[in-house]
Amino acid sequence: MQSACPVCVNAARARVRCAPCAGHARMFFRQKQSRKKVSAARTFCAAALVFPGLTQYSKVRKTQTEFFTGVYTVDITLQDFERAQQRLKGVLHHTELDLSATFSAMTGGNIYLKYENSQKTGSFKIRGASNKIAALVERGETGAVVASSAGNHAQGVAYAAHRFGIPATIVMPKTAPIAKAKATEGYGATVVLAGDCYDDAYAKAREICEQEHATFLHPYNDPEVIAGQGTLGLEILGDLPTADVVIVPAGGGGLLAGVAACIKQINPRVQVIGVQAEGADAIAQSFRTHGYVQTDSAATIADGIAVKVPGDLTVPLIERYADDVVTVSDRDISEAVLLLMERCKQIVEPAGATPVAAVLKGKVDVKGKNVVCLLSGGNIDVSFIQCIIEQGLVARSRRLRFTVTLLDRPGSLGNLLNDIAALGANILSVEHDRLTAGLNPNEIDVHVSCEVGDKAHGDRVRGQLIQSGYHVKID
């Protein structure tokens, strides 16, 4: 009886063993679901044993459980991921999975890094875009495609469309970085600038779709896009069959939903954990409340996962397959980006560095485990890298900024700078200030920024200057 029960079949697809349908219905409902729905689900299961056609009532393959809960999801099978992998052969790189001795020593686990930041177009987004366009071509739908994005999805769609010989239009906000717009054009797409934010660009893209009868490619809320992103799960388990934990960034949820669904259908023992920025945590809230949550804002340096409205297809898949969703602060993300540059010589965008941030800050138990951190992308502005480096050096007490009050007479500034240099500090900037309130007419404030080895070195520099008679104020 169990194998014939359609609810049990759905459970088996996720490798979850459950009791006969008369006793397990509540497993598929949230805790506060009404008794009527549970009873209705049991009745439907029993009826499906006699009338199997009852389960085939939807074009998007909604499960009978979803029919009663009102939460509709698509059914993405392992065969869908394998089919996507076949489509993507020759289109993109099989990116490297490498053990990081540095992060392993820092955390007590075996930390592997999946370098998707070295993927074509610099991001995992090419996987979903390429699978979607390849599927359209297979179905004979070779018309134009339209997408709205200011970042990685734009470049992924542009590259994939060019690869398959399909015209593409990408709508970007006017505030999009010029470098990203030019890179998207370089892949052969037509770039349209519209509005000041993503929502404006999305509305314009939909308008173009209606006018030109084109196909809109959603960045995450599409089954074939999710299947394409999920091919990373096949690669990870193929390269590291003994993986215990896989940590995945989450914004709209396409990557996390795909990787989690793929991995759990191969090996349910492997934990799949999502990571979001604290300022853009719609999926984390949805996971905790077992519901669908949209946020009013998405404020984070991780622009690749700054999403207020997650996918209504991705959220149920994440709830079904993921083990947890954690959050990290922007400061944690900055530190991870800097460490990846310093220790691993990898340029990783803030969104892609969130798994490393989660591991380093103890958000995930990794001790003694084989852990894969998915570095989802590496598209980051050079100017922003400089900001992260500066802030990171300040946070590590590698930068020291202080003010010294001097007599305004020849030689006093030179003596100060010589004394600082003698203490091994590298002077970065010096600024005279005669307008500070409270200064005597013959005094000036000198603001000094210098580089030191660590906090102890900075304390030593400050202490020696004070012993030499300088009045030092740390800024």
Side-chain angles (χ1 to χ4, degrees), residues 414-424 465 468 470:
N415 292 334
L416 171 65
L417 299 182
N418 287 333
D419 288 343
I420 293 172
L423 294 169
L465 290 176
S468 299
Y470 293 103

Side-chain angles (χ1 to χ4, degrees), residues 100 102-103 113 115 117-118 336-348 375:
S100 169
T102 298
F103 294 139
L113 304 178
Y115 294 125
N117 59 312
S118 64
V337 171
L338 187 57
L339 275 171
L340 284 162
M341 282 190 285
E342 272 190 331
R343 304 295 181 89
C344 303
K345 314 308 177 194
Q346 293 290 323
I347 302 297
V348 180
L375 310 182

Side-chain angles (χ1 to χ4, degrees), residues 352-401:
T354 53
V356 172
V359 166
L360 295 178
K361 294 303 174 180
K363 298 298 180 78
V364 181
D365 178 18
V366 301
K367 291 188 181 299
K369 299 178 181 179
N370 292 331
V371 180
V372 177
C373 291
L374 176 49
L375 310 182
S376 58
N379 293 322
I380 181 172
D381 290 336
V382 174
S383 59
F384 192 63
I385 293 177
Q386 180 63 27
C387 291
I388 287 179
I389 292 173
E390 293 288 344
Q391 292 177 359
L393 291 174
V394 170
R396 296 181 186 181
S397 300
R398 293 272 303 278
R399 292 287 171 86
L400 184 63
R401 182 176 171 83

